[in-house]
Coordinates of all heavy atoms in Angstrom, one line a residue:
W673 N 129.2 244.6 166.0 CA 128.5 244.0 167.0 C 127.1 244.6 167.3 O 126.3 244.1 168.0 CB 129.3 244.0 168.3 CG 129.3 245.3 169.0 CD1 128.5 245.8 170.0 CD2 130.2 246.4 168.7 NE1 128.9 247.0 170.4 CE2 129.9 247.5 169.6 CE3 131.3 246.6 167.8 CZ2 130.6 248.7 169.6 CZ3 131.9 247.8 167.8 CH2 131.6 248.8 168.6
R818 N 134.5 237.6 166.3 CA 133.0 237.9 166.3 C 132.5 237.9 164.9 O 132.7 236.9 164.2 CB 132.7 239.2 167.1 CG 133.4 239.1 168.5 CD 132.9 240.2 169.4 NE 133.0 241.6 169.0 CZ 133.2 242.6 169.8 NH1 133.3 242.4 171.1 NH2 133.3 243.8 169.3
T903 N 143.6 252.7 167.1 CA 142.4 251.8 167.3 C 142.6 250.9 168.5 O 143.7 250.7 169.0 CB 142.2 251.0 166.1 OG1 143.4 250.3 165.8 CG2 141.7 251.8 164.9
D904 N 141.5 250.4 169.0 CA 141.5 249.5 170.1 C 142.1 248.2 169.7 O 142.9 247.6 170.4 CB 140.1 249.2 170.7 CG 139.1 248.7 169.6 OD1 139.4 249.0 168.4 OD2 138.1 248.1 170.0
C905 N 141.8 247.7 168.5 CA 142.3 246.4 168.1 C 142.1 246.4 166.5 O 141.4 247.1 166.0 CB 141.5 245.3 168.7 SG 139.7 245.4 168.4
R908 N 138.8 242.2 165.1 CA 137.4 241.8 165.2 C 136.5 242.9 164.6 O 137.0 243.9 164.0 CB 137.0 241.6 166.7 CG 137.0 242.8 167.6 CD 136.6 242.4 169.0 NE 136.6 243.6 169.8 CZ 137.2 243.6 171.1 NH1 137.7 242.4 171.5 NH2 137.2 244.6 171.8
E910 N 135.4 245.6 165.1 CA 135.5 246.8 165.9 C 136.5 247.7 165.3 O 136.2 248.6 164.5 CB 135.8 246.5 167.4 CG 135.5 247.6 168.3 CD 135.1 247.1 169.7 OE1 135.0 245.9 170.0 OE2 134.8 248.0 170.5
W914 N 138.9 254.2 169.7 CA 138.5 254.3 171.1 C 139.3 255.3 171.8 O 140.6 255.1 171.9 CB 138.5 253.0 171.8 CG 137.3 252.1 171.5 CD1 137.2 251.1 170.5 CD2 136.0 252.2 172.0 NE1 136.0 250.6 170.5 CE2 135.2 251.2 171.4 CE3 135.4 253.0 173.0 CZ2 133.8 251.0 171.7 CZ3 134.1 252.8 173.3 CH2 133.3 251.8 172.7
T915 N 138.7 256.4 172.3 CA 139.4 257.5 172.9 C 140.1 257.0 174.2 O 141.2 257.5 174.5 CB 138.5 258.6 173.2 OG1 137.3 258.0 173.8 CG2 138.1 259.3 172.0
G916 N 139.5 256.1 175.0 CA 140.1 255.7 176.2 C 141.4 255.0 176.0 O 142.3 255.2 176.8
D917 N 141.4 254.2 175.0 CA 142.6 253.4 174.8 C 143.7 254.3 174.3 O 144.9 254.2 174.7 CB 142.4 252.4 173.7 CG 141.2 251.5 174.0 OD1 140.1 252.0 174.4 OD2 141.3 250.2 173.7
H954 N 132.9 258.5 172.1 CA 133.7 257.3 172.6 C 134.7 256.9 171.5 O 135.8 256.5 171.9 CB 132.8 256.1 172.8 CG 131.8 256.2 173.9 ND1 132.0 257.0 175.0 CD2 130.6 255.7 174.0 CE1 131.0 256.9 175.8 NE2 130.1 256.1 175.3
W968 N 137.7 258.3 178.9 CA 137.7 258.1 177.4 C 137.7 259.5 176.7 O 138.7 259.9 176.0 CB 136.4 257.3 177.0 CG 136.7 255.8 177.0 CD1 136.8 255.1 175.8 CD2 137.0 255.0 178.1 NE1 137.1 253.8 176.2 CE2 137.3 253.7 177.5 CE3 137.1 255.2 179.4 CZ2 137.6 252.6 178.3 CZ3 137.5 254.1 180.2 CH2 137.7 252.8 179.7
F1019 N 132.7 254.1 181.4 CA 133.2 252.7 181.3 C 134.0 252.2 182.5 O 134.4 251.1 182.6 CB 134.2 252.6 180.1 CG 133.4 252.8 178.8 CD1 133.7 253.9 178.0 CD2 132.5 251.8 178.4 CE1 133.0 254.0 176.8 CE2 131.8 252.0 177.2 CZ 132.1 253.1 176.4
W1022 N 137.9 250.0 183.2 CA 137.5 248.9 182.3 C 138.4 247.7 182.4 O 139.6 247.8 182.4 CB 137.6 249.5 180.9 CG 137.1 248.7 179.7 CD1 137.9 248.1 178.8 CD2 135.8 248.4 179.5 NE1 137.0 247.4 177.9 CE2 135.7 247.6 178.3 CE3 134.5 248.7 180.1 CZ2 134.6 247.1 177.7 CZ3 133.4 248.2 179.5 CH2 133.4 247.4 178.4
L1023 N 137.8 246.6 182.6 CA 138.5 245.3 182.7 C 139.4 245.1 183.9 O 140.2 244.2 183.9 CB 139.3 244.9 181.4 CG 138.4 244.9 180.1 CD1 139.3 244.6 178.9 CD2 137.3 243.9 180.2
F1126 N 142.0 249.5 182.5 CA 142.5 250.4 181.5 C 142.9 251.8 182.1 O 143.8 252.4 181.7 CB 141.5 250.7 180.4 CG 141.5 249.7 179.3 CD1 141.8 248.3 179.5 CD2 141.1 250.0 178.0 CE1 141.8 247.4 178.5 CE2 141.1 249.1 177.0 CZ 141.4 247.8 177.2
E1170 N 144.1 242.2 175.3 CA 143.1 243.0 175.8 C 142.8 242.8 177.3 O 142.6 243.7 178.0 CB 141.8 242.8 175.0 CG 140.6 243.6 175.5 CD 139.4 243.4 174.5 OE1 139.3 242.4 173.8 OE2 138.6 244.3 174.5
M1186 N 134.8 239.3 173.9 CA 135.6 240.5 173.8 C 137.0 240.1 174.2 O 137.5 240.3 175.4 CB 135.1 241.5 174.8 CG 135.1 242.9 174.3 SD 134.7 244.1 175.5 CE 135.9 243.9 176.7
S1188 N 140.6 240.4 172.5 CA 141.5 240.6 171.4 C 142.9 240.3 171.9 O 143.3 240.5 173.1 CB 141.4 242.1 171.1 OG 142.7 242.7 170.7
H1191 N 145.7 244.5 171.6 CA 145.0 245.7 172.2 C 146.1 246.4 173.0 O 146.6 245.9 174.0 CB 144.0 245.2 173.2 CG 142.6 245.6 173.0 ND1 141.8 245.2 171.9 CD2 141.8 246.5 173.7 CE1 140.6 245.7 172.0 NE2 140.6 246.6 173.0
A1193 N 146.3 248.9 175.1 CA 146.2 249.7 176.3 C 147.1 249.3 177.5 O 147.8 250.2 178.0 CB 144.7 249.6 176.8
Ligands
BGC1512 C1 137.0 248.2 173.1 C2 137.8 248.9 174.2 C3 137.1 250.1 174.5 C4 135.9 249.7 175.2 C5 135.0 250.7 175.8 C6 135.7 247.8 173.8 O1 134.9 247.1 173.0 O2 137.7 247.2 172.5 O3 139.2 248.9 174.0 O4 137.8 251.1 175.2 O5 135.1 248.9 174.4 O6 134.9 250.4 177.1

Side-chain angles (χ1 to χ4, degrees):
W673 74 95
R818 303 194 304 211
T903 54
D904 56 337
C905 59
R908 67 176 177 226
E910 200 148 358
W914 280 97
T915 46
D917 307 43
H954 293 328
W968 268 249
F1019 292 115
W1022 189 248
L1023 301 182
F1126 276 32
E1170 179 171 23
M1186 217 188 63
S1188 145
H1191 236 74

